[in-house]
């Protein structure tokens, strides 16, 4: 728990920090140099590294330059990579983007579009998309846990404290419900969402934090289970979480920025592009409005109240 508090405190410091004066020169993308790209995987089963080669090839052809794509080991990795200039372009989860932005290491040029889910049934809504999503707290369908207050004494699977839906939003709303995450529950950090789901299915965890629609997205990874029947949503976060940001370093050449925008906006038009977007569950992209991400700042600061 001390480690969690330390990471949350670090998040708060990041929001107040200023980008060092000499970082921009090192991070600026120079024409004809390889473009370094990074993204955070939705799971850690080893398949993302192989599929990232398709993404690199797509961008390389679209931009007419060499592209290197790496997979971040965690949410904090991509923040530090953007701020230090090791990465020029990041497909960034919302909280990670906000942290990098506040340190002067990222600006959003596009936001992803996600499929919409019926918030009563949890099933996808055919043909509908959204520019934000919710966090979910999942429990077994036969669990006697039905509301936030019932979580007192529970073992709960969480992702990194830098994850919006996997930690920050549900933690804050538990606090709002009068639950002290330090004393009333036991938080168990899991490697990824499938690991948290597995823990709930086998009874090692009472609940786990996931993003909206996770039961649908990961159902294929559980051939012996029907997640929509075996799991249910105990709590859907009240706060809306903006979708992933396609972010570049602020010093990137504007001509290159325009080319990157064009490459991403064209993805939904081809089978190849659709396959690449499936890496993150994206349905398309729209021009980013950075003010949409400001709500995450408030939630990060609230989560830091755990001290």
């Amino acid at each position: 728990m001390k480690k969690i508090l330390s990471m949350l405190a670090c998040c708060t410091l990041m929001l107040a920090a200023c980008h060092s004066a000499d970082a921009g020169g090192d991070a600026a993308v120079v024409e004809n140099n390889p473009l370094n790209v990074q993204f955070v995987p939705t799971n850690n089963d080893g398949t993302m590294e192989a599929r990232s080669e398709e993404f690199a090839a797509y961008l390389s052809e679209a931009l007419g330059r060499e592209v290197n794509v790496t997979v971040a080991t965690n949410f904090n990795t991509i923040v530090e990579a953007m701020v230090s200039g090791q990465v020029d372009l990041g497909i960034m989860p919302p909280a990670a983007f906000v942290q990098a932005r506040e340190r002067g290491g990222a600006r959003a040029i596009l936001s992803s579009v996600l499929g919409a889910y019926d918030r009563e049934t949890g099933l996808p809504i055919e043909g509908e998309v959204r520019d934000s999503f919710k966090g979910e707290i999942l429990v077994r369908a036969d669990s006697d846990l039905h509301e936030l207050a019932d979580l007192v004494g529970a073992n709960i699977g969480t992702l990194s404290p830098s994850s919006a839906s996997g930690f920050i939003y549900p933690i804050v709303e538990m606090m709002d419900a009068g639950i002290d995450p330090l004393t009333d529950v036991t938080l168990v950090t899991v490697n990824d969402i499938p690991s948290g789901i597995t823990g709930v299915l086998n009874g090692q965890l009472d609940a786990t934090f996931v993003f909206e629609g996770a039961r649908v997205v990961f159902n294929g990874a559980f051939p012996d289970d029907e997640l929509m029947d075996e799991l249910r949503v105990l709590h859907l976060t009240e706060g809306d979480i903006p979708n992933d940001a396609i972010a570049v370093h602020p010093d990137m050449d504007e001509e290159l920025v325009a080319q990157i925008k064009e490459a991403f906006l064209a993805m939904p038009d081809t089978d190849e592009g659709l396959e690449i977007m499936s890496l993150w569950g994206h349905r398309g992209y729209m021009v980013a409005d950075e003010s949409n991400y400001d709500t995450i700042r408030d939630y990060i600061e609230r989560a830091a109240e755990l001290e």
Side-chain angles (χ1 to χ4, degrees):
M1 186 58 65
K2 289 182 179 179
K3 181 178 179 182
I4 291 173
L5 290 175
S6 176
M7 294 178 74
L8 285 168
C10 181
C11 289
T12 305
L13 290 174
M14 287 177 180
L15 294 173
C18 295
H19 187 48
S20 60
D22 61 348
D26 293 336
V29 175
V30 180
E31 188 175 2
N32 297 325
N33 279 358
L35 184 73
N36 293 314
V37 182
Q38 190 169 97
F39 67 89
V40 177
T42 54
N43 64 65
N44 292 314
D45 63 2
T47 62
M48 291 290 186
E49 287 82 356
R51 297 182 63 194
S52 67
E53 295 179 6
E54 305 167 13
F55 180 36
Y58 174 87
L59 279 183
S60 180
E61 181 177 355
L63 302 177
R65 67 194 300 151
E66 182 181 351
V67 175
N68 300 320
V69 176
T70 56
V71 180
T73 55
N74 56 51
F75 291 84
N76 293 326
T77 300
I78 196 168
V79 173
E80 295 304 324
M82 290 292 294
V83 172
S84 67
Q86 296 175 3
V87 167
D88 310 306
L89 168 66
I91 294 81
M92 304 190 73
F97 163 67
V98 170
Q99 292 169 26
R101 180 184 68 175
E102 294 298 323
R103 295 175 64 186
R107 69 180 175 103
I109 58 173
L110 298 169
S111 294
S112 65
V113 175
L114 299 177
Y117 290 88
D118 186 302
R119 284 167 179 166
E120 292 294 327
T121 67
L123 295 171
I125 302 174
E126 186 68 29
E128 287 193 24
V129 295
R130 289 197 175 109
D131 60 2
S132 64
F133 64 103
K134 302 277 191 181
E136 293 179 346
I137 302 179
L138 293 182
V139 297
R140 285 184 60 92
D142 58 4
S143 170
D144 58 1
L145 306 177
H146 294 280
E147 57 186 34
L148 288 177
D150 296 334
L151 290 173
V152 173
N155 294 321
I156 303 174
T158 79
L159 296 179
S160 160
S162 295
S163 170
S165 60
F167 191 93
I168 297 169
Y169 276 62
I171 282 290
V172 167
E173 296 190 8
M174 284 172 56
M175 293 165 62
D176 287 342
I179 296 175
D180 186 340
L182 300 182
T183 59
D184 293 339
V185 299
T186 300
L187 303 179
V188 181
T189 304
V190 297
N191 290 331
D192 51 25
I193 288 175
S195 298
I197 289 175
T198 298
V200 173
L201 289 172
N202 65 25
Q204 292 180 319
L205 297 172
D206 300 302
T208 192
F209 297 162
V210 302
F211 58 75
E212 184 179 14
R215 290 175 297 169
V216 174
V217 172
F218 293 107
N219 192 60
F222 295 85
D224 298 327
D225 299 279
E226 180 49 61
L227 299 187
M228 293 301 295
D229 294 334
E230 296 183 44
L231 301 176
R232 61 177 166 80
V233 179
L234 176 141
H235 179 72
L236 193 70
T237 61
E238 295 180 8
D240 292 324
I241 307 170
N243 295 345
D244 292 344
I246 310 305
V248 300
H249 194 275
D251 292 338
M252 181 178 285
D253 176 75
E254 288 302 322
E255 182 177 348
L256 179 55
V257 171
Q259 292 175 335
I260 291 171
K261 280 185 179 179
E262 183 178 352
F264 274 86
L265 290 172
M267 280 187 185
D269 299 332
T270 65
D271 290 340
E272 179 186 13
L274 291 171
E275 179 65 22
I276 291 167
M277 291 194 303
S278 71
L279 279 167
W280 317 287
H282 295 171
R283 296 291 186 86
Y285 301 96
M286 58 187 294
V287 176
D289 180 351
E290 289 205 358
S291 66
N292 290 340
Y293 292 89
D294 292 345
T295 181
I296 299 177
R297 179 184 184 129
D298 298 333
Y299 269 80
I300 289 174
E301 292 175 347
R302 286 291 319 283
E305 294 175 10
L306 282 173
E307 295 181 73

